[in-house]
Amino acid sequence: MNVKKGYAMVLIAALTWGCIGIFVNDLTALGLGSASIAALRLLFGAAMLAPVLAVMGARGSGVPVGERPSARALFHVPLSSLVPCALVGIVGLAFANLGYYISMGEVGMSTASVLLYTMPVFGVALGRLLYREPVTSSKLASIAINVIGCVLAVTNGDFSTMGFSALGIIAGVAAGFMGALLAVFSKVATKRVHPLAVTFYGFVFGGATMLALACPWTDIAAAASPRLLLVLLGFGLIPTALAYIFYMNGLSMGLEASRVPVVASFETVTTVLVGIGVYGESAGPVKMAGICLVLLSIFVMNTSFEKIRRSELYGHVAESMRFSGRAWAQEKAAGYAEFVSGGDWQAWVALR
């Protein structure tokens, strides 16, 4: 039951991530660049989580057994456990975003988005390599359906705008790989550290890394205004702090690292729907088919076809599929003939 709840939490996180475009468009209009936006998002997310952790620690919620409740309790993380938290922020958040931005600059947004959706493929490979998670036919089918669905949803079937650049392709695939590593590092970190503490330190390390790479001081000075602060507060709260609270809590419930990227791809569906509903983007049949395929891939990934094959309902359906009307008619005709010739009541019952 906890596993199902965990996947539901990842799905909610993906739903929240899909709203990112609303905030990014506002911040871009105010004059901030992509790298600056990424840095500020993570740092504001950390600022939103800090008081939550302090209150929880003071109340004793989530504090390890034997440790006294205090406002600083959940911030105390052993150095050995801080390493995977740092990897969550630096690799899974900062470098993944950086690779995506480089790819967008080289090959355009559509191509970069398509390359990013190699994430489920890496998720299955890493799950098999690191955790010996089985590579089942349902996983492989789900990945294929998911990638096709994401591509159709993003491009609407128009591939004419897709560009080519060796650097752009490498950076896009690397972003997909590091995005899959986010689930791996998060799963390791949440075994010893409270999920919210993992999220907080991930934001701190990731935000500091992006801050060093972006040097957004000029952008911030030029865009400084009450509106900027308001948008950043919303950006740090809704698709950042809240989203990763659900995501990390979900991962802490023993989810398979290979399944998480497929469920998280629901972000694509939300992003497309936001574009249609908020910005009036076209909703063509190809785009809708892509959305349906993404939803289908999530269903396939989380469905045990082996259990279905062993179910009583499947047995009845399989039996009905093997039904031969001709053989049934011949059997009833033979029974009727026996009844007519000898008054065989058993044959008459069979006929009935």
Side-chain angles (χ1 to χ4, degrees), residues 177-246:
F177 176 66
M178 286 183 284
L181 283 175
L182 173 63
V184 173
F185 294 143
S186 300
K187 187 173 180 179
V188 173
T190 52
K191 286 182 178 179
R192 294 185 178 181
V193 181
H194 193 281
L196 293 193
V198 173
T199 307
F200 172 77
Y201 283 111
F203 287 165
V204 169
F205 282 107
T209 302
M210 288 303 298
L211 202 64
L213 294 171
C215 296
W217 317 117
T218 304
D219 285 355
I220 294 173
S225 66
R227 178 177 174 79
L228 174 65
L229 180 60
L230 184 62
V231 175
L232 285 174
L233 288 173
F235 196 27
L237 176 63
I238 300 171
T240 307
L242 286 178
Y244 280 97
I245 285 172
F246 282 110

Side-chain angles (χ1 to χ4, degrees), residues 8 42 59-60 96 119 165 184 186 215 227 234 251 259 284 287 323:
L42 296 177
R59 293 180 176 178
M119 196 185 303
S165 160
V184 173
S186 300
C215 296
R227 178 177 174 79
L251 285 177
R259 295 179 186 271
K287 187 176 288 188
F323 173 77

Side-chain angles (χ1 to χ4, degrees), residues 65-144:
V65 177
E67 188 171 333
R68 292 182 59 185
S70 71
R72 295 179 295 177
L74 292 181
F75 293 98
H76 292 163
V77 177
L79 184 60
S80 58
S81 299
L82 197 60
V83 172
C85 294
L87 291 173
V88 165
I90 296 172
V91 178
L93 296 175
F95 286 172
N97 275 311
L98 183 62
Y100 183 53
Y101 297 146
I102 293 174
S103 183
M104 279 196 297
E106 292 289 323
V107 296
M109 184 175 292
S110 295
T111 308
S113 298
V114 170
L115 294 171
L116 187 65
Y117 300 131
T118 56
M119 196 185 303
V121 179
F122 290 120
V124 168
L126 290 170
R128 177 62 181 172
L129 181 65
L130 299 176
Y131 301 111
R132 296 289 185 262
E133 294 174 358
V135 180
T136 62
S137 56
S138 63
K139 284 185 182 179
L140 296 177
S142 175
I143 288 172

Side-chain angles (χ1 to χ4, degrees), residues 1-2 11 21 92 112 128 142-143 150 166 173 190 208 214 238 241 247 277-278 303 344 349:
M1 186 64 182
N2 278 343
L11 196 63
R128 177 62 181 172
S142 175
I143 288 172
C150 287
V173 173
T190 52
I238 300 171
Y247 183 77
V278 177
T303 300
D344 188 344
V349 172

